[in-house]
């Protein structure tokens, strides 16, 4: 006898609730039809379901996402970095208290060794005809952030080695829910032949029909749940082994929305609006925002992160503020709207030459007009860089751009041999946007406050009526 076993999965929703009612509708209909035929099927999520860019996720600190997953009928999930490092320790500790599904993450540990009741390294699922499926979860080890929040993420490969032997003793099939990224999934498949399937996320890769690395099937469904993944495992009961593995990512953007879920999201949105309606200040005059100019509100925010960190200087890009603020009452919801990014302050150490190179790079049109996607940035373009504690000697070029001849800290030009502390958005510590910042060996992150929390402080201190 051969038995088909089904997994339906999502990854990296990032609170894109425009798609969520389609996800819920698809999962309910598909799982109901499978179960009517006597088939075993489970719904799993690979993390980054929560993203505080959305008012609902921000107002409820992710717990509304858990409610929506309960209502969609999920069975097992793992954590992404957006669940792990954008919430305070206590908010993450209690995030899944009301979850109707299991949470597996083998490499997340509380620094005080008091673990949440919901956290487990793995779980064993059993099919209708007695096949045991071991499900393990792993998340990306952003320990520079996690440790500031009193968590620790152990190295995924080492932790997997410790867990998999025990799981294999209990399971006929091993499935890994991996919020590690595509290249890491490939390496795991090369080194852990006992894993039958890796369902992945984090790097937002889309594998429409899966991919084999050695004998391990790898799959992932992009981002924002435009696709829902399906894994079909065929177990041969006579030979006691897997005879077939299939993976598909199915485009669901054309499907109708589930009306019950739409009403639920509308209800949560109204509740979020009420929660975020708490007033901050009353503005006597509007505060303008311009992505290609340094405005008073941007300059004040840049001064605030310099003060927050006690750094020698600070810099922030104008694209972080999506809109201005009109005169009148300003609420937390207004601040979230104009600064929705899950971005923290970071201090790096640069010598004078490196800092001057960073300043020059940030003044180019190429930098200012870059339409960045990711690294926490949820805006349109990077925009012009504002500075605190620094003055520039600029020269206008024939093409209309400006060249920074020299920069001054106070009245002194930057010293190539001297090391300076520079406060900025943590966005620039990733990738190659500003290589000198990313390469800095010293990076001090400030958590759990987002830049918008610093903006609240800035408004209260500098723009009172």
């Amino acid at each position: 006898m051969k038995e088909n076993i089904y997994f339906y999965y999502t990854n990296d929703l990032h609170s894109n609730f425009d798609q969520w009612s389609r996800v819920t509708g698809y999962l309910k209909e598909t799982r109901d039809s499978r179960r009517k035929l006597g088939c075993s099927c489970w719904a799993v999520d690979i993390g980054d379901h929560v993203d505080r860019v959305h008012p609902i996720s921000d107002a409820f600190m992710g717990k509304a996402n858990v409610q929506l997953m309960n209502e969609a009928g999920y069975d097992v999930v793992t954590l992404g970095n957006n669940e792990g490092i954008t919430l305070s320790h206590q908010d993450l500790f209690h995030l899944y208290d009301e979850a109707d599904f299991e949470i597996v993450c083998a490499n997340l540990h509380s620094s005080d060794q008091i673990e949440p009741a919901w956290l487990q390294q793995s779980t064993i699922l059993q099919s209708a005809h007695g096949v045991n499926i071991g499900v393990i979860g792993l998340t990306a080890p952003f320990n520079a952030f996690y440790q500031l929040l009193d968590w620790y993420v152990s190295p995924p490969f080492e932790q997997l080695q410790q867990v998999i032997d025990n799981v294999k003793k209990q399971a006929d099939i091993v499935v890994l829910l991996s919020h590690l990224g595509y290249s890491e999934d490939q390496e795991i498949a090369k080194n852990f032949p006992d894993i039958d399937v890796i369902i992945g996320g984090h790097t937002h890769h889309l594998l429409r029909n899966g991919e084999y690395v050695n004998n391990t099937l790898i799959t992932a469904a992009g981002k924002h749940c435009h696709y829902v993944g399906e894994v079909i495992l065929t177990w041969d009961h006579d030979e006691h082994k897997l005879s077939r593995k299939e993976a598909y990512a199915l485009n669901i953007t054309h499907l109708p929305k589930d009306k019950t879920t739409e009403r639920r999201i509308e209800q949560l949105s109204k509740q979020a609006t009420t929660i975020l309606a708490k007033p901050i200040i009353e503005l006597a005059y509007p505060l303008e925002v311009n992505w290609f100019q340094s405005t008073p509100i941007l300059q004040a925010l840049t001064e605030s992160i310099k003060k927050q960190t006690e750094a020698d200087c600070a810099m922030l890009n104008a694209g972080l503020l999506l809109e201005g603020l009109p005169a009148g009452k300003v609420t937390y919801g207004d601040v979230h709207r104009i600064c929705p990014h899950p971005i923290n302050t970071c201090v790096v150490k640069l010598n004078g030459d490196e800092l001057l190179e960073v300043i020059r790079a940030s003044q180019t049109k190429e930098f200012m007009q870059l339409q960045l996607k990711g690294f926490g940035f949820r805006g349109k373009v990077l925009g012009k860089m504002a500075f605190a504690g620094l003055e520039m000697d600029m020269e206008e070029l024939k093409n209309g751009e400006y060249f920074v001849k020299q920069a001054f800290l106070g009245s002194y030009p930057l010293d190539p041999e001297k090391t300076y502390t520079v406060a900025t958005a943590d966005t620039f510590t990733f990738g190659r946007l500003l290589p000198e910042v990313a390469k800095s060996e010293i990076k001090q992150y400030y958590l759990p406050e987002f830049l918008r929390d610093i903006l609240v402080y800035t408004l209260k201190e500098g723009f009172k009526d």
Side-chain angles (χ1 to χ4, degrees):
M1 183 186 79
K2 291 185 178 180
E3 179 183 6
N4 282 342
I5 297 165
Y6 298 86
F7 282 88
Y8 294 94
Y9 73 87
T10 52
N11 61 273
D12 298 281
L13 175 74
H14 285 279
S15 296
N16 185 4
F17 296 126
D18 288 345
Q19 277 296 106
W20 186 247
S21 62
R22 291 190 175 96
V23 173
T24 301
Y26 174 79
L27 288 178
K28 286 180 177 178
E29 182 178 347
T30 304
R31 294 170 74 204
D32 284 349
S33 65
R34 293 291 185 205
R35 287 172 175 172
K36 285 177 182 177
L37 295 173
C39 299
S40 297
C41 61
W42 293 275
V44 300
D45 185 79
I46 319 302
D48 277 5
H49 191 282
V50 174
D51 192 322
R52 288 177 58 192
V53 68
H54 199 287
I56 289 175
S57 297
D58 195 58
F60 290 95
M61 290 299 171
K63 288 192 172 184
N65 294 68
V66 174
Q67 292 175 25
L68 291 169
M69 295 176 85
N70 283 342
E71 291 159 14
Y74 276 77
D75 299 289
V76 187
V77 310
T78 195
L79 285 82
N81 49 286
N82 271 270
E83 285 87 10
I85 62 176
T86 69
L87 298 170
S88 71
H89 183 92
Q90 283 302 304
D91 284 326
L92 177 56
F93 195 93
H94 294 290
L95 176 61
Y96 298 105
D97 285 353
E98 304 301 322
D100 295 334
F101 45 83
E102 296 186 87
I103 299 92
V104 292
C105 191
N107 62 333
L108 177 68
H109 318 276
S110 181
S111 298
D112 61 8
Q113 299 183 331
I114 302 173
E115 308 291 0
W118 45 261
L119 181 62
Q120 52 189 339
Q121 295 185 338
S122 62
T123 189
I124 302 294
L125 307 175
Q126 189 172 79
S127 76
H129 296 283
V131 180
N132 290 326
I133 305 106
V135 182
I136 305 168
L138 290 173
T139 197
F142 286 92
N143 274 316
F145 292 89
Y146 274 108
Q147 290 177 354
L148 294 172
L149 297 167
D150 295 323
W151 298 98
Y152 173 68
V153 177
S154 52
F157 282 55
E158 294 178 18
Q159 192 67 28
L160 185 56
Q161 189 70 62
Q162 294 178 27
V163 174
I164 196 167
D165 290 341
N166 184 53
V167 170
K168 189 63 180 174
K169 291 175 185 176
Q170 306 173 65
D172 303 301
I173 299 168
V174 179
V175 175
L176 174 64
L177 309 185
S178 166
H179 196 86
L180 298 175
Y182 182 43
S183 61
E184 295 293 293
D185 292 350
Q186 290 179 312
E187 286 301 308
I188 288 174
K190 291 174 185 176
N191 290 281
F192 294 87
D194 285 332
I195 296 176
D196 297 292
V197 181
I198 299 175
I199 306 177
H202 183 50
T203 47
H204 302 171
H205 51 294
L206 173 65
L207 300 175
R208 295 288 299 270
N209 297 294
E211 171 185 297
Y212 274 93
V213 176
N214 293 338
N215 194 43
T216 300
L217 179 61
I218 296 175
T219 186
K223 66 176 180 178
H224 293 167
C225 290
H226 294 114
Y227 291 81
V228 170
E230 178 183 47
V231 172
I232 308 171
L233 305 176
T234 303
W235 181 261
D236 190 320
H237 284 268
D238 296 323
E239 298 194 13
H240 196 74
K241 68 177 185 180
L242 273 174
S243 61
R244 186 177 176 85
K245 297 184 283 192
E246 305 166 68
Y248 308 98
L250 312 169
N251 190 323
I252 64 165
T253 56
H254 63 287
L255 297 181
K257 294 185 174 184
D258 180 74
K259 292 180 180 179
T260 301
T261 305
E262 282 291 289
R263 288 193 294 269
R264 183 75 173 114
I265 292 171
E266 183 179 355
Q267 178 189 43
L268 289 170
S269 181
K270 290 179 180 178
Q271 291 174 349
T273 299
T274 300
I275 292 169
L276 297 175
K278 182 180 177 181
I280 298 169
I281 61 163
E282 189 91 14
L283 284 177
Y285 51 89
L287 294 175
E288 303 294 333
V289 162
N290 187 317
W291 295 335
F292 301 104
Q293 292 179 13
S294 181
T295 56
I297 187 172
L298 176 65
Q299 188 61 45
L301 180 58
T302 310
E303 297 283 354
S304 288
I305 69 164
K306 179 177 180 294
K307 182 178 179 181
Q308 173 201 16
T309 61
E310 299 182 342
D312 295 322
C313 56
M315 58 184 191
L316 285 177
N317 55 302
L320 286 166
L321 301 180
L322 305 190
E323 303 174 27
L325 292 169
K329 184 176 70 174
V330 177
T331 68
Y332 282 86
D334 294 323
V335 171
H336 183 278
R337 187 184 71 253
I338 73 167
C339 192
H341 330 272
I343 291 175
N344 306 95
T345 310
C346 181
V347 170
V348 297
K349 289 187 176 182
L350 303 175
N351 67 36
D353 278 344
E354 291 170 332
L355 179 52
L356 185 58
E357 184 57 34
V358 166
I359 293 167
R360 285 172 174 164
S362 72
Q363 299 303 298
T364 64
K365 285 185 179 179
E366 179 184 13
F367 178 90
M368 290 187 279
Q369 295 175 356
L370 180 65
Q371 298 180 23
L372 177 65
K373 302 294 182 184
F375 301 122
F377 186 70
R378 305 293 188 253
K380 302 296 184 182
V381 297
L382 283 178
K384 183 178 176 63
M385 194 72 81
F387 299 92
L390 289 167
E391 298 293 335
M392 317 296 168
D393 181 9
M394 311 280 283
E395 177 184 353
E396 186 173 3
L397 304 177
K398 291 181 179 179
N399 63 3
E401 293 196 43
Y402 286 86
F403 176 73
V404 180
K405 295 167 63 178
Q406 183 55 276
F408 298 83
L409 190 69
S411 57
Y412 297 96
L414 294 179
D415 183 344
E417 303 300 322
K418 186 175 180 179
T419 298
Y420 300 92
T421 53
V422 184
T424 190
D426 65 22
T427 300
F428 299 115
T429 66
F430 307 108
R432 295 192 56 80
L433 295 167
L434 294 171
E436 290 77 13
V437 173
K439 290 187 300 184
S440 174
E441 293 183 1
I442 304 297
K443 299 183 180 78
Q444 182 178 353
Y445 297 96
Y446 288 75
L447 275 72
E449 295 83 7
F450 286 156
L451 283 178
R452 62 173 168 268
D453 297 312
I454 310 304
L455 180 56
V456 169
Y457 164 82
T458 302
L459 289 167
K460 288 180 176 179
E461 292 298 308
F463 296 93
K464 293 177 182 176
D465 187 357

